[in-house]
Amino acid sequence: MMDFCNFFSALLPLLVLEKANITRTNHVMWTMGTDFKYQYAHTWFRQMDKFIHYVNQDGRVNALYSTPSIYTDAKYATNEAWPLKTDDYFPYADRINAYWTGYFTSRPALKGYVRTMSGYYLAARQLEFLKGRSKAGPNTDYLADALALAQHHDAVSGTSKQHVANDYAKRLSIGYEEAAKVVETSLASITRSSSKTDSGNKVTMFQQCLLLNISYCPSSEVDLSNGKNLVVVVYNPLGWKREDIILIPVIDGNVIVKDHRGNEIESQLVPLLNASLAIRNYYSMAYLGKFPSVTPKYWLAFSASAPPLGLNTYFISSRKQKATAAPSKNQVVYSSKEKQKDVIEVGPGDLKLVFSAKQRKLIGYINSRTKVKETVRQSYSFYTGATDIKQASGAYIFLPNGTNSLKPDHQALTVLRGPILDEVHQRINSWIYQITRVYKGKEHAEFEFIVGPIPISDGIGKEVVTKILTHMKTSKTFYTDSSGRDFLERIRNYRKDWNLDVNQPVAGNYYPINLGMYVKDDDKELSVLVDRSMGGASIKDGELELMLHRRLLHDDGRGVAEALNETVCVQNKCSGLTIVGKYYLRIDPLGEAAKWRRSFGQEIYSPFLLAFTQQEGDGWTNSHVSSFSGMDPSYVLPDNVAMITLQELDNGQVLLRLAHLYEVGEDKDLSVMASVQLKKVFAHKKINKVTEMSLSANQGRVEMEKKRLVWKVKGSPEEVPKVVRGGPVDPAALVVELAPMEIRTFVIDFN
Ligand SMILES: *[C@@H]1O[C@H](CO)[C@@H](O)[C@H](O)[C@H]1NC(C)=O
Ligand SMILES: *[C@@H]1O[C@H](CO)[C@@H](O)[C@H](O)[C@H]1NC(C)=O
Ligand SMILES: *[C@@H]1O[C@H](CO)[C@@H](O)[C@H](O)[C@H]1NC(C)=O
Ligand SMILES: *[C@@H]1O[C@H](CO)[C@@H](O)[C@H](O)[C@H]1NC(C)=O
């Protein structure tokens, strides 16, 4: 050990001086440790003591134990002016051919689960607040902890071993079970009416359907021919009024949908085709250990609306049979004849997608309202993962060794049309299937992808991507989100402030897509939003690609020591993991796209929360509250503001975070100061005191501002951007101002 110390204590001053040469100020941070190193901390520190002793004998440097805050204070004390950096360092490579861009997609099912649970947690906490947090009963804390753990850099990233990934998922599942009870009792309490007759003491038992992604919902797959009503409570976690299409599986097509006023509303039946049924059967066996007892024939689609932080109730019942049952509004049109025509236009509203029956794929996008028309082709392909012993493609690293485009299967397109939505089914091959949906009243296309099991019998790992190809002139530039907030400009093979050498043209230009990405030309913007984090890029002008799934057979040597080879086992037979997910596409006139990206982005993250129960006869509305708003019924949040936290804390105080969704200059109408009236948000309660906090809510904003270091910025004062922030909150008026991209955090005491 002595020799080791001598050697390094002679070397370190040289390394430090080299680093100091390219570092501002004469303080250099030398980080110690890495994964697992402090499991034997005493041996670590004993060596470090000696090390520091010998390094300081050299005389050129002074080594000392430090901490990030001591280091920061020392930097600050030098009074240096610092250059501003607004772009980031992505993507990262630790050596040639080793771009850490594979983990953007690794374990797509876990990534999807984390995303679904985060959105659910947000809604569950709102409902926990609306009912009042229960000291004894179930709460949302376990789910909070599980989600926090899942944010670890080897958890949601997909870079843990399989048995560890299983544990993360198990914790989420335990947390969900408890949060679901909170949601169900809260909805029972909100819908229980005290003034109405027959409210009694009967507590409604609600059920939810977490597995709609595999077309499985026992609560809606029920026999209604006995005259029972299926009650569907639709809760909206957003601070805006909202309308959305609900799709639930039903076993019988002879049903009608009524709103809470008792009026029948338009609905549509969409046949559940084989591909979805196969996933349903296989995955209900994998998740629940049993096949479903019934087989739904259709998706029942209808449009639902709900007030901000509020709910509406819908009723599904059997249609009373009439002898001359005229074709109902529930239209099922299965137009297989369209095979003959080459060009097929789908979409019941302003948006039409154009498909070629011959090529069996998407070829165009037309919006008759905005007059946007664009050639859009969509295709699937896969990269083969490199297997070189020096560097393989693996959980962290994306290293493609060639690409294979997948020609669509010879099976004709299946087109299902109706008044509410059209669907196009495409079988790409035996392991990729796609359902494209266009809804009336929505101007985006929804792509549902079913990918897997990725075949490996040829001994080759595969990384599956979908590409969107247009003729747009995008001059190497595209935009991807940073943690779902600001969009950063990405330029292929280029960095503004240093000379970049990209030696992997694909992997070296990949970015994490959490909310979405877009490209633009002189007159339009093409945006894609995702349902979970995944990798994405624009490798050629006019093109976008998303990596949806990956299965690899070699370890990439960064610490997992396992191949990323996810499997699912049913009755001891294992096959590669299949994932079902969605992405959304829309093209807007230039400068008008941010509205959709921001507001629909919120809708993806916070879908309607559905709860089901059954009721004999039509008495529900007489005995229950069937429409409710958590805010003042005349109030909605401004279009540019979202409520990102509403949580009752242990001590009865309430934590509130409001976020401005737009960047400076992002939208001509919405990148402006917004204001939120807290009295209207909390119309059902009386606010006693509002305290503004730091973002993490562990200190008051005033105290934080006192301690905050004000750094000198390099450049002339005009170059330094002015930061605009909302003003202080007047304790009587209780109006919160938010400037573009601002997030404000409050702790509220109620009387
Ligand atoms: C769907 O599956 C059923 C039963 O497995 C089969 O009989 C039918 O031919 C399939 N239909 C199509 C269109 O593949
Ligand atoms: C790339 O693929 C070829 C076969 O197509 C194979 O011979 C070669 O070893 C692979 N290279 C790496 C780095 O995986
Ligand atoms: C991948 O998983 C399959 C299915 O469990 C298994 O047969 C195969 O040996 C695995 N391969 C590697 C390299 O882990
Ligand atoms: C379906 O959703 C559940 C819950 O979010 C998730 O755990 C599961 O991986 C999804 N299944 C598929 C096949 O994508």
Side-chain angles (χ1 to χ4, degrees), residues 522-551:
D522 293 340
D523 54 11
K524 50 185 145 3
E525 290 179 47
L526 182 153
S527 324
V528 166
L529 300 181
V530 295
D531 70 344
R532 71 196 66 196
S533 296
M534 55 181 82
S538 173
I539 300 300
K540 289 190 188 138
D541 281 359
E543 286 189 21
L544 284 184
E545 69 180 67
L546 293 171
M547 186 183 287
L548 306 175
H549 196 2
R550 53 204 309 261
R551 186 179 188 191

Side-chain angles (χ1 to χ4, degrees), residues 297-354:
K297 286 206 194 80
Y298 305 103
W299 287 105
L300 173 65
F302 61 95
S303 174
S305 66
L309 304 192
L311 60 83
N312 261 336
T313 311
Y314 291 84
F315 303 92
I316 298 163
S317 57
S318 225
R319 176 182 296 282
K320 307 270 179 307
Q321 293 288 352
K322 276 194 215 133
T324 56
S328 74
K329 285 186 205 150
N330 300 333
Q331 276 182 295
V332 183
V333 186
Y334 178 25
S335 10
S336 50
K337 266 198 235 103
E338 295 183 64
K339 272 180 244 171
Q340 290 10 319
K341 283 191 288 174
D342 186 35
V343 174
I344 305 171
E345 268 191 17
V346 301
D350 290 332
L351 171 64
K352 303 282 180 219
L353 290 187
V354 186

Side-chain angles (χ1 to χ4, degrees), residues 456 551-554 562-569 574-576:
I456 50 165
R551 186 179 188 191
L552 297 161
L553 305 178
H554 295 268
E562 261 181 26
L564 183 71
N565 180 20
E566 292 182 281
T567 56
V568 178
C569 303
C574 301
S575 52

